Amino acid sequence: KFIPYQPATGKGRHKRGQTFTLILLSGLTSLQAHCLHNACSVATSVFGSCLVKITGIRRIIYQLKVEAKLKSDLVLELEGETMSGAQQEKLRMIFQKFRVEGFVDWLRGDKGWRYSTIGNTYWKRICLLQLNTLQSVWTLFAPDNQKFYDETKRRTTWRKQQQLTEAVSDLRLWLEILDDARTGTMRQVLRNSDFGPNSLVHWAHHHPRQCKYPLTVVTPTSMAELVDSVIELMQREFHHSHDAPLGTRWINHKNRRLTDWKDAENICIHWNENYLEERLN
């Protein structure tokens, strides 16, 4: 539940000694609640820095408690401070990711990035095929000012790659060139790992271990979100009202490389020309 925001006395603060309480998560098992509580309590935890970034209060006195009835609740208490409704929402959205792979390691303060350790790695081949295919669409329709990373036009922004890390890193260059932070999609795609271990492209520009940023775990779910977001951005960026739908223009383009699909049937049954045409339309 939300605790309504009530303006406090002074500069937005409660009177000294007054405590502000917020339930971060409810309905947890005892093991889940204590695991999250312990991760927040270690010296390297990112919880304190998240709280400071959200509230803007540098010296904030807080306490986390586990309240157990039939189920357990993770409860935050602030001494002499308060939080607006938007701040409460942002903090609770972080903890709603507690089932995301790597969340406890992220909360504990691990840094760098790693691939998911759940299941096989077949999904990485699928995602690489998808990104390389979308790169073909980008090659046909992106304007020149988006295709080159420098003024000499010697470095193509987004190239086909053999490894998923390099493919995502190149894609990030194009997304940054778009420089359209006003859209919700762009903000989500370019997000870093400050508020959770599921960044989409930020991780690919950094060393997996020697990195100052909080942990990112690259999973099939996060990469599927990335592909969906890129398709949405392409629809907006390359479609004009006087044109046929983007998918139709791509599928009928004389310069489309049919060889891009020679291994598609073996790699990904549900990712083929007709499917992508429908998605782009």
Side-chain angles (χ1 to χ4, degrees):
K1 66 179 182 180
F2 280 110
I3 298 172
Y5 175 67
Q6 296 180 352
T9 60
K11 298 181 179 179
R13 298 187 173 191
H14 284 306
K15 294 180 180 179
R16 182 171 296 180
Q18 191 171 352
T19 301
F20 172 83
T21 304
L22 175 65
I23 298 176
L24 298 175
L25 284 171
S26 59
L28 300 171
T29 65
S30 177
L31 179 62
Q32 288 173 329
H34 283 91
C35 185
L36 292 170
H37 180 273
N38 292 340
C40 291
S41 302
V42 299
T44 56
S45 176
V46 298
F47 177 72
S49 63
C50 287
L51 202 55
V52 170
K53 289 174 183 176
I54 290 173
T55 61
I57 304 170
R58 290 188 177 182
R59 296 182 180 181
I60 188 166
I61 302 174
Y62 67 89
Q63 183 177 4
L64 276 174
K65 292 183 177 180
V66 175
E67 296 184 353
K69 298 176 183 177
L70 295 176
K71 290 287 186 177
S72 297
D73 296 339
L74 188 65
V75 180
L76 170 69
E77 292 184 352
L78 301 181
E79 183 180 331
E81 307 290 352
T82 188
M83 295 177 70
S84 69
Q87 291 171 341
Q88 294 177 45
E89 170 71 9
K90 193 165 187 176
L91 190 58
R92 294 190 64 181
M93 284 181 66
I94 293 174
F95 279 86
Q96 285 172 7
K97 302 175 185 177
F98 78 98
R99 289 190 175 90
V100 172
E101 183 180 352
F103 183 81
V104 172
D105 294 334
W106 170 84
L107 193 57
R108 197 165 43 220
D110 287 5
K111 297 184 182 301
W113 63 269
R114 61 176 170 81
Y115 285 115
S116 170
T117 57
I118 299 176
N120 58 46
T121 59
Y122 190 62
W123 61 270
K124 290 196 287 186
R125 289 186 65 198
I126 294 174
C127 185
L128 180 61
L129 168 72
Q130 294 171 340
L131 292 179
N132 280 339
T133 304
L134 288 171
Q135 190 273 347
S136 298
V137 179
W138 173 86
T139 299
L140 293 177
F141 299 110
D144 283 349
N145 64 347
Q146 295 180 17
K147 285 186 177 179
F148 300 99
Y149 188 60
D150 54 38
E151 294 180 357
T152 63
K153 296 187 177 181
R154 294 180 179 178
R155 167 66 163 89
T156 303
T157 305
W158 185 4
R159 301 168 295 185
K160 282 185 171 58
Q161 299 287 357
Q162 299 297 318
Q163 299 294 328
L164 182 57
T165 307
E166 285 75 14
V168 175
S169 182
D170 269 15
L171 170 60
R172 178 181 172 178
L173 293 177
W174 173 58
L175 295 173
E176 289 178 342
I177 285 175
L178 287 181
D179 193 26
D180 190 2
R182 294 172 299 173
T183 67
T185 301
M186 186 63 74
R187 285 195 299 270
Q188 286 300 309
V189 175
L190 292 176
R191 68 179 183 260
N192 62 23
S193 54
D194 282 350
F195 297 113
N198 57 343
S199 70
L200 300 185
V201 299
H202 183 265
W203 59 274
H205 271 201
H206 303 282
H207 191 279
R209 291 178 297 278
Q210 299 173 5
C211 176
K212 66 178 182 178
Y213 289 98
L215 178 70
T216 291
V217 179
V218 186
T219 66
T221 301
S222 65
M223 289 298 95
E225 181 184 348
L226 175 60
V227 169
D228 289 343
S229 299
V230 172
I231 289 176
E232 181 180 337
L233 288 168
M234 283 185 169
Q235 288 173 325
R236 192 195 70 213
E237 190 70 20
F238 303 146
H239 176 64
H240 305 285
S241 58
H242 61 277
D243 292 330
L246 180 59
T248 302
R249 291 163 55 207
W250 169 73
I251 206 76
N252 294 326
H253 201 289
K254 63 179 181 180
N255 293 330
R256 181 170 59 88
R257 294 173 56 186
L258 297 177
T259 54
D260 288 341
W261 295 100
K262 62 182 180 181
D263 296 323
E265 184 176 353
N266 296 327
I267 295 177
C268 183
I269 296 174
H270 299 295
W271 188 264
N272 54 43
E273 291 173 318
N274 294 332
Y275 172 76
L276 181 55
E277 179 188 5
E278 292 176 1
R279 290 290 302 277
L280 290 170
N281 283 348

